Amino acid sequence: MKKTLTGLEELLGKAGAERSGYIHTASEILSQPTMWRETWECVNKASTQLKALLGDNPRLVLSGAGSSHFVGVSVAPMLRKVFPYAEAVSSTDIVMDPESVFPKQEFILVSFARSGNSPEGIAAVDLAEKLCAGNVKHLAITCNPKGELAKIVGAMGSKGYVLNLPEGTNDKGLAMTSSFTSMVLAGLLLQYIDKDNITSSRADVDALSELGQHILGKFDEVARRISNEDFARIYFIASRPYFGGALEAHLKVQELSGGSIVAYASDTLGLRHGFMASIDDQSIVVLTSSSNAYRKQYELDILREIKKKKLGKMVVVIADDKSDFEDFADVVVELNASAPISDGFLSIITVLLGQMIGFYVSMVKGLDPDYPSPKGIINRVVEGIRIYPYPVPDGSF
């Protein structure tokens, strides 16, 4: 039987696609299931060095800016179940107030970065060295071995380690796609390093990759439908274990639409605390459901309320089983996973739909998804940031 092509695959097969303004972003979205398997290989190969750096019971501060910060938000809940301390703090917050971020005890600063050239990420490493010398080690998880971050941490000897992800994760498009999901996966795999059973995670990664390949086709159809709706706002709703995926999904739509769509991310119970007031008849609502029966009760409650109050133009639910949600959603995307997917991995699945919605909205609005900011308001590597000297306090920090 001939394989049915997704919309992205059809676009990539068109004559002149290489000059289209979408070839990188489309290719990078579709490459992700392959990149996840390659990411596992990178982590597995580096497992001895990672275990040596992590040591016993490490405290982790997860740093990054923008999408790279959302990587930390995505992995922190799972890592907190394994490590005594794992907190995601954006490098932008670290630069502004480092003394409230860094622990007094020994810790590892885990820096996530696609390019490794963002000024705040480099400044966060420098501040940790200046304020916490002797108490801090560094792990850089990056998609660019030639970036400044990789060079700095790579020169630290036993105090630092650089985990370089596959070359294909270093997206050429402006929006982070394969870089984001691959860094999330690498971060999640640290829990297996700590348990000395990285090989056991291969089955989970294979299952995730198979699901990703399958769900990209389903998401493609839904994303095209949404992009042709006349909407002005979109809300991504998710619970804590995978809320980082909702944050990244909202950013993808906002970036790739050139800012013409206003996007939001809310945790499931938090929606009632103000955000709900802004859901109007020009709003799309996307909720990712948990495989956890406890959390699912709250998700169904919020969907009942949205329906009762007649909020939103369209409600979309991503779920294991559509039967629970058909009465409350216009579209239910059923995962049909061969085995239940851990909620920790749902950040990766959630963001795929945001990437594809953003891509198709960009196309509908006549933008180039590879560079959706024609006025240069945003860039692939952030610009215009000046880093000022920090007044290091006298004595011990």
Side-chain angles (χ1 to χ4, degrees):
M1 180 182 292
K2 186 177 180 180
K3 178 181 180 289
T4 302
L5 297 179
T6 65
L8 291 184
E9 288 169 330
E10 289 178 354
L11 286 169
L12 289 172
K14 285 187 173 183
E18 66 278 2
R19 301 184 300 277
S20 61
Y22 61 70
I23 188 170
H24 296 308
T25 304
S27 300
E28 287 152 5
I29 290 173
L30 291 175
S31 75
Q32 289 173 103
T34 299
M35 290 300 102
W36 302 338
R37 287 190 170 98
E38 291 186 15
T39 292
W40 185 90
E41 295 289 353
C42 289
V43 176
N44 181 50
K45 185 177 179 180
S47 59
T48 301
Q49 293 92 332
L50 289 169
K51 178 63 178 176
L53 184 76
L54 290 173
D56 297 322
N57 300 318
R59 299 174 185 84
L60 306 180
V61 175
L62 311 169
S63 171
S67 291
S68 296
H69 170 51
F70 298 154
V71 172
V73 176
S74 297
V75 305
M78 292 292 284
L79 297 187
R80 283 294 296 269
K81 294 181 179 181
V82 176
F83 300 109
Y85 181 95
E87 183 179 4
V89 184
S90 68
S91 56
T92 52
D93 277 345
I94 292 174
V95 170
M96 295 298 283
D97 189 15
E99 292 178 59
S100 73
V101 174
F102 298 139
K104 301 293 185 182
Q105 307 90 345
E106 292 182 355
F107 69 98
I108 299 173
L109 182 65
V110 182
S111 299
F112 295 102
R114 175 173 65 174
S115 72
N117 291 321
S118 294
E120 310 99 320
I122 295 166
V125 170
D126 182 61
L127 285 165
E129 283 295 295
K130 287 179 177 176
L131 294 172
C132 309
N135 270 354
V136 61
K137 294 181 179 179
H138 297 268
L139 172 58
I141 299 180
T142 180
C143 307
N144 181 17
K146 297 179 180 179
E148 197 64 25
L149 177 68
K151 293 176 183 177
I152 292 170
V153 175
M156 290 182 175
S158 61
K159 287 180 52 183
Y161 185 76
V162 180
L163 177 62
N164 290 308
L165 298 190
E167 183 180 354
T169 64
N170 192 10
D171 312 308
K172 294 181 180 177
L174 182 147
M176 288 175 63
T177 51
S178 66
S179 56
F180 176 84
T181 57
S182 296
M183 284 194 288
V184 169
L185 179 58
L188 289 172
L189 290 175
L190 293 179
Q191 64 187 300
Y192 296 93
I193 297 290
D194 183 73
K195 298 173 185 175
D196 282 327
N197 64 349
I198 184 65
T199 54
S200 70
S201 67
R202 182 60 198 246
D204 292 333
V205 174
D206 285 342
L208 177 69
S209 298
E210 289 170 13
L211 175 59
Q213 199 69 56
H214 163 73
I215 209 67
L216 280 169
K218 288 190 173 184
F219 282 170
D220 190 294
E221 182 180 343
V222 174
R224 279 187 286 174
R225 176 179 169 183
I226 291 173
S227 69
N228 286 306
E229 294 284 341
D230 182 19
F231 74 102
R233 303 175 185 177
I234 188 165
Y235 296 75
F236 290 91
I237 304 169
S239 300
R240 171 176 162 79
Y242 43 95
F243 181 57
L247 287 167
E248 175 65 2
H250 106 273
L251 184 59
K252 290 309 96 176
V253 176
Q254 201 146 285
E255 285 178 332
L256 288 166
S257 70
S260 62
I261 301 295
V262 178
Y264 302 83
S266 173
D267 67 280
T268 305
L269 290 178
L271 188 69
R272 294 182 178 90
H273 293 264
F275 281 106
M276 187 178 280
S278 60
I279 302 177
D280 59 14
D281 59 4
Q282 295 299 304
S283 301
I284 306 291
V285 177
V286 180
L287 181 142
T288 301
S289 171
S290 173
S291 59
N292 179 286
Y294 171 77
R295 283 191 276 272
K296 189 176 291 185
Q297 297 172 102
Y298 292 105
E299 294 158 356
L300 286 166
D301 281 351
I302 199 70
L303 288 170
R304 288 189 187 98
E305 188 168 341
I306 288 171
K307 182 175 182 179
K308 182 179 179 181
K309 293 178 177 178
K310 299 179 180 179
L311 300 176
K313 185 182 186 74
M314 179 190 294
V315 176
V316 178
V317 174
I318 303 169
D320 277 340
D321 184 352
K322 67 181 181 180
S323 61
D324 292 329
F325 299 96
E326 288 180 310
D327 291 340
F328 309 109
D330 301 291
V331 178
V332 181
V333 184
E334 199 169 34
L335 295 181
N336 292 132
S338 56
I341 296 295
S342 162
D343 277 2
F345 288 98
L346 275 178
S347 279
I348 293 174
I349 298 301
T350 297
V351 75
L352 296 181
L353 182 55
Q355 293 172 356
M356 299 188 90
I357 293 171
F359 178 89
Y360 282 118
V361 167
S362 189
M363 295 288 287
V364 167
K365 293 186 176 295
L367 300 172
D368 293 336
D370 290 344
Y371 191 74
S373 185
K375 294 182 180 179
I377 296 172
I378 57 173
N379 299 279
R380 186 180 179 278
V381 179
V382 70
E383 298 177 359
I385 297 173
R386 180 185 300 173
I387 299 298
Y388 296 97
Y390 187 77
V392 178
D394 294 332
S396 177
F397 161 56

